[in-house]
Amino acid sequence: MGSAYLIRLLLTGFSILQQVRSWSINVPESVTAVEGSCVAVPCWTQPHLRVTWYQYQKMNYPVVYDRFHNIVEKQFRGRTSVPGNSTAGNCTLIIKNVRMADNNLQVYVWINPDSRASQKFYDQTVTISVERKAPKLSILKQMVEGETFQANCSISHSCPSSPPSIRWTGSQILENSSLKAINEKVFKQWMYTETLHGIATYEMQNSKISCSALFHDLTTDSQEITLNILYKPVNVSLILEMESVINGDSVIVECAANCNPQPHTYSWLQRQLGQDITTINTTQSKRTFDNVTTKTSFSCIAHNDIGAGQSNWLDLDVKHAPVILSESSCHLLGEVVKCVCQVEVFPNASIHWTIDGNDTLSSSFSFVFTNKKHVIFGEISGPAQSHTNITCTATNDLGSDTKQLSVHNLSKTASLSMWLVALTIPGIALLFGCAQLIYRKYSECRLLPGSVCNTTILLRRSSLSEYVQVEQRYDSHQRAHVEDAQSSPCRTESDPEEDRLSCVYDNDFVEQMRQSRAQQHQNNTTAPQRDGEIELPEKAVECNMEDYLNG
Ligand SMILES: *[C@@H]1O[C@H](CO)[C@@H](O)[C@H](O)[C@H]1NC(C)=O
Ligand SMILES: *[C@@H]1O[C@H](CO)[C@@H](O)[C@H](O)[C@H]1NC(C)=O
Ligand SMILES: *[C@@H]1O[C@H](CO)[C@@H](O)[C@H](O)[C@H]1NC(C)=O
Ligand SMILES: *[C@@H]1O[C@H](CO)[C@@H](O)[C@H](O)[C@H]1NC(C)=O
Ligand SMILES: *[C@@H]1O[C@H](CO)[C@@H](O)[C@H](O)[C@H]1NC(C)=O
Ligand SMILES: *[C@@H]1O[C@H](CO)[C@@H](O)[C@H](O)[C@H]1NC(C)=O
Ligand SMILES: *[C@@H]1O[C@H](CO)[C@@H](O)[C@H](O)[C@H]1NC(C)=O
C-alpha cells in the first residue's frame, strides 16, 4: 500500500519534471485587498510538489511564502500560506492580516523551485493594492415610535472565509433588538452586513448609534448617526407661571410636552367644581385664563402629527378669604362642650373662639388641625356652662369669616349613643351565634367525616381573628395537638371556646392581628417553621375539603 503510493508519487514527480518546460501559470495582474482582512492571490498551474512565492525586487529574492518558514521574510512569516490542492494545480497564495505596508507589493510564484527549470516565473507578477475600508452605517432617516426600525452596518473585506466581526455602539437601540448577518460577494470584493431590527421607542430620540469593524489587528469605525424618532406627546404637563393666584386673577398656563415633531395644536380643558366648562383649541403653548376662582382645574392635550397626549389635571391653588363650612357645630357631652369649626381657606388661617362675647378662654382647651387639602379644623372643648353663644372666627391675609355655632344638646347626643348601643347588641349577638355555629359544625365534623364541612370552611376562612388566636396562643402543648390534627383529618386544631372568643373580640383583635401578621411576615424568612404553624388553619381547611369530596 505504502510502496504503491510512493511509486505513484514518484511517477507524478517524474511527469511533473517532464512538463517543466511547458509550465503555464495562471495569475491575475493585480488583486485588491482590504486592510486588516486577508487576501487571496489566485494561482493555477499543473499538478506540482512545491511552491514558493517571492516578492519582486530588482535585487534579491525575498521569500513571501515557502514551506520552510525560516526562509520567509519576517514581515510575511506566519501571515502567508498556500492551502490549495497542489495535485490539482492550485497554487493560490493567501496573505492574512493585510497591512498598509503591503500596498503595491509585487509577488510572483515559482513552482518546484528546486527543479532546474529555466522559466522566469517573475515575468508574471501580481500587484497587491491595499485599501482601508470603514463600515457603512445606514438607517432610515425617520423612524416612528412603536414601528420597527432597521439599521445596517456593512463592511467590505477581501477574506470570504473570515469576515471581520461588527461591534455596535448605542445602548438605547441595542436593547431588545435582534441581529441578522450576511456575507455576500459584491463585484470582486466581499461585503459583510449586519442588520439590526428592533422597535423604535421615544427614549431613542437623539441617541447616537455607530458600528465598528473588528479585524484581527485593526478596528475601523463607521460614522455616527443621531436617531430621529417621531413620537406622540408624552409627559405632557401644565406649568403655571405665577406662584400664587388670588380669586379673580388672570393666570398664564403653559402646556409642555415631550414629542417629535412639536405639537401643532393644544386643547385646553377647564373644570370648575369638578365639572367641565370649556375646551378651547389653540396653536400656542401658552394661554391666559381670566377671572379664575377656587376649585378651578386645567388640563391640556397636545397634538402632533403622530398623536396626542394629555396632561394631568392641575388644581389651581387660588388664594381666598376663609369660609366657615356649615358642618361646623358644637356638641354637649355631659359636662363638656366640644365645638368643631371647619374652614375652607388658602393660605392657612388662624381660628379664634368667643364664648358669650368673651374671647379669653379659661379652663378650655383648643387646637387646630388639618386633614384635608385647604380645609382646617379648629376644635375647642371646655366645661359646659350656660353657654349659648359660641362663635368661631377664621382669619387670613385675605379676610375673615365668623359664624355662631349651634349647640346640639345632650339629649340628641344621648340618642345617638342609644343608637350605637342598639346597633352593637345585635352585632354581638350575631357574632356569638357565629361562634356557636362553628362549635356545632366542628362537633358534627368530628362525628361524621365528610358531612357538610364546607360551611365550616367558609367561616373559618373569613374568621381572620382566629389566625391571631392561633398565632398568639400557640404553645408547645398545642403544637402536639396540631400535629395530631394534621394526621387525623377531622380534628380541629383550636378549641371552640377560642372561636367564640375570637368572634366576640373580632374588632379588637383586627389591629393586633394586622400587627402580628406583619411581624409574622418579617419573621418568615428567619423562621420558616413558624410559617408552617401559621398556615395551619389553611391546612385544616384543605383536609376538611378532602373529606367532603371523598364523602
Ligand atoms: C485554490 O485554493 C484556495 C485556497 O484553499 C481556494 O480558496 C480556491 O477556491 C482554490 N481554487 C480552486 C479553483 O479550487
Ligand atoms: C438593510 O439591508 C437590507 C438588506 O440588504 C435592505 O433590504 C434594507 O433596505 C437595508 N436597510 C437600510 C435602512 O439601509
Ligand atoms: C425591552 O423589553 C422589555 C420587555 O419586553 C421592556 O420592559 C423594556 O422596556 C424594553 N426596553 C426598551 C429600551 O425598549
Ligand atoms: C417628564 O418631564 C419631567 C419634567 O420635565 C422630566 O424630569 C422627566 O424626565 C420627563 N420624563 C420623560 C419620560 O420624558
Ligand atoms: C368673574 O367671575 C365672577 C363669578 O364667576 C363674575 O361674577 C364676574 O363678573 C367675573 N368678572 C369678570 C371680569 O369677568
Ligand atoms: C354672639 O356673639 C357674637 C360675637 O361675640 C355677637 O356678634 C352676636 O351678636 C351674638 N349673638 C347672639 C345671638 O347673642
Ligand atoms: C371672660 O372670662 C374670664 C375667665 O373666664 C373672666 O375672667 C373675664 O372677666 C371674662 N370677661 C368678660 C368680659 O366677661
Side-chain angles (χ1 to χ4, degrees):
M1 195 71 175
S3 57
Y5 178 72
L6 205 66
I7 289 162
R8 217 172 70 205
L9 205 68
L10 281 172
L11 285 174
T12 316
F14 183 69
S15 70
I16 287 166
L17 285 175
Q18 286 227 306
Q19 289 167 7
V20 156
R21 291 193 187 278
S22 56
W23 284 119
S24 72
I25 294 168
N26 255 308
V27 288
E29 274 184 13
S30 66
V31 293
T32 304
V34 172
E35 188 189 5
S37 197
C38 76
V39 68
V41 180
C43 173
W44 198 248
T45 184
Q46 286 91 3
H48 54 274
L49 290 175
R50 196 180 151 200
V51 169
T52 302
W53 283 85
Y54 293 94
Q55 178 176 4
Y56 179 83
Q57 275 188 351
K58 292 252 160 67
M59 312 272 287
N60 262 333
Y61 305 97
V63 177
V64 171
Y65 168 79
D66 190 276
R67 69 178 171 201
F68 300 113
H69 292 274
N70 55 339
I71 64 164
V72 174
E73 286 297 311
K74 215 169 174 185
Q75 75 262 34
F76 300 116
R77 213 174 290 165
R79 289 207 291 139
T80 51
S81 60
V82 177
N85 180 2
S86 60
T87 53
N90 190 336
C91 49
T92 300
L93 169 72
I94 306 280
I95 306 176
K96 287 197 296 186
N97 309 335
V98 172
R99 300 164 180 176
M100 245 350 178
D102 299 333
N103 193 24
N104 293 325
L105 179 71
Q106 282 178 285
V107 291
Y108 61 92
V109 67
W110 195 350
I111 310 295
N112 294 328
D114 22 3
S115 71
R116 286 175 292 112
S118 58
Q119 187 147 2
K120 291 174 180 168
F121 289 108
Y122 51 77
D123 279 351
Q124 273 177 284
T125 64
V126 184
T127 304
I128 298 169
S129 52
V130 180
E131 304 178 322
R132 170 167 287 193
K133 294 281 186 182
K136 280 199 174 63
L137 179 61
S138 65
I139 211 158
L140 288 174
K141 278 220 169 58
Q142 279 191 333
M143 295 183 262
V144 178
E145 180 190 26
E147 294 180 3
T148 53
F149 69 78
Q150 205 180 52
N152 290 341
C153 181
S154 306
I155 176 74
S156 140
H157 65 98
S158 47
C159 196
S161 57
S162 72
S165 55
I166 282 178
R167 183 181 62 208
W168 292 84
T169 315
S171 58
Q172 291 284 9
I173 204 162
L174 293 179
E175 220 179 294
N176 295 351
S177 58
S178 62
L179 270 181
K180 225 167 66 188
I182 49 164
N183 193 25
E184 60 190 342
K185 195 159 189 184
V186 179
F187 302 114
K188 287 181 175 171
Q189 289 306 28
W190 288 80
M191 184 73 89
Y192 176 70
T193 303
E194 276 191 11
T195 304
L196 200 67
H197 289 274
I199 303 289
T201 66
Y202 74 86
E203 287 98 341
M204 291 176 186
Q205 165 68 352
N206 284 332
S207 67
K208 297 187 167 32
I209 179 172
S210 63
C211 65
S212 310
L214 311 179
F215 293 99
H216 186 262
D217 44 17
L218 177 80
T219 300
T220 54
D221 302 315
S222 75
Q223 81 278 28
E224 193 176 66
I225 293 183
T226 303
L227 299 183
N228 184 18
I229 316 273
L230 300 178
Y231 58 100
K232 67 177 190 192
V234 290
N235 209 11
V236 182
S237 59
L238 280 176
I239 301 162
L240 198 59
E241 297 225 323
M242 49 251 289
E243 303 224 311
S244 65
V245 183
I246 300 176
N247 233 351
D249 268 356
S250 297
V251 291
I252 300 170
V253 185
E254 184 179 356
C255 185
N258 175 4
C259 58
N260 184 28
Q262 283 308 296
H264 52 69
T265 313
Y266 298 88
S267 303
W268 300 90
L269 287 72
Q270 187 176 355
R271 271 184 192 171
Q272 192 78 47
L273 293 159
Q275 296 218 308
D276 294 345
I277 334 178
T278 53
T279 304
I280 292 163
N281 289 335
T282 65
T283 54
Q284 304 297 311
S285 65
K286 280 188 191 179
R287 199 178 122 69
T288 306
F289 289 90
D290 293 319
N291 197 13
V292 293
T293 56
T294 53
K295 300 201 173 144
T296 300
S297 345
F298 301 112
S299 173
C300 73
I301 303 172
H303 306 263
N304 74 356
D305 297 337
I306 312 298
Q310 182 169 3
S311 74
N312 287 332
W313 284 91
L314 171 77
D315 297 326
L316 274 193
D317 286 337
V318 178
K319 284 185 175 180
H320 61 97
V323 177
I324 296 175
L325 302 175
S326 59
E327 292 94 314
S328 307
S329 64
C330 294
H331 289 279
L332 268 171
L333 294 156
E335 295 300 299
V336 177
V337 65
K338 190 171 161 188
C339 303
V340 178
C341 189
Q342 282 189 46
V343 185
E344 190 180 76
V345 66
F346 177 75
N348 258 352
S350 55
I351 291 181
H352 293 285
W353 296 91
T354 15
I355 299 172
D356 293 335
N358 190 342
D359 60 0
T360 43
L361 301 163
S362 70
S363 65
S364 58
F365 174 69
S366 102
F367 65 101
V368 174
F369 62 96
T370 309
N371 64 3
K372 260 196 208 167
K373 198 185 173 199
H374 297 174
V375 175
I376 60 170
F377 294 78
E379 194 174 293
I380 190 172
S381 53
Q385 285 143 24
S386 57
H387 302 315
T388 49
N389 184 359
I390 300 174
T391 63
C392 154
T393 305
T395 313
N396 75 356
D397 296 346
L398 295 158
S400 73
D401 191 17
T402 301
K403 194 179 180 217
Q404 183 182 341
L405 305 187
S406 54
V407 180
H408 300 282
N409 64 27
L410 190 62
S411 64
K412 274 187 185 165
T413 323
S415 71
L416 182 69
S417 37
M418 285 291 283
W419 269 108
L420 280 173
V421 171
L423 281 171
T424 313
I425 289 167
I428 290 169
L430 193 73
L431 290 168
F432 192 85
C434 133
Q436 285 285 339
L437 191 65
I438 290 166
Y439 177 73
R440 223 176 301 143
K441 288 296 172 193
Y442 279 179
S443 311
E444 273 176 35
C445 193
R446 274 205 193 94
L447 294 168
L448 280 170
S451 60
V452 205
C453 286
N454 56 344
T455 317
T456 317
I457 292 161
L458 288 175
L459 281 169
R460 292 186 58 76
R461 276 222 163 121
S462 56
S463 176
L464 288 171
S465 60
E466 195 169 272
Y467 283 76
V468 179
Q469 294 290 325
V470 172
E471 278 168 46
Q472 290 183 336
R473 309 254 226 109
Y474 201 69
D475 55 23
S476 56
H477 121 261
Q478 274 190 325
R479 192 184 307 250
H481 202 154
V482 164
E483 276 155 8
D484 205 4
Q486 281 175 337
S487 50
S488 64
C490 268
R491 289 274 284 281
T492 56
E493 72 287 1
S494 66
D495 195 326
E497 195 61 26
E498 277 175 18
D499 290 330
R500 187 157 57 231
L501 273 172
S502 67
C503 267
V504 174
Y505 294 109
D506 230 64
N507 292 334
D508 294 2
F509 273 112
V510 165
E511 194 49 45
Q512 244 181 306
M513 182 205 67
R514 281 203 194 105
Q515 286 166 3
S516 125
R517 290 294 287 181
Q519 177 116 40
Q520 178 57 33
H521 195 68
Q522 285 181 332
N523 292 347
N524 269 352
T525 45
T526 51
Q529 214 185 335
R530 270 191 67 98
D531 192 38
E533 290 164 17
I534 298 312
E535 295 296 335
L536 226 60
E538 288 288 339
K539 276 182 188 160
V541 168
E542 280 167 22
C543 102
N544 283 343
M545 186 72 96
E546 247 172 52
D547 285 344
Y548 179 62
L549 292 171
N550 293 340

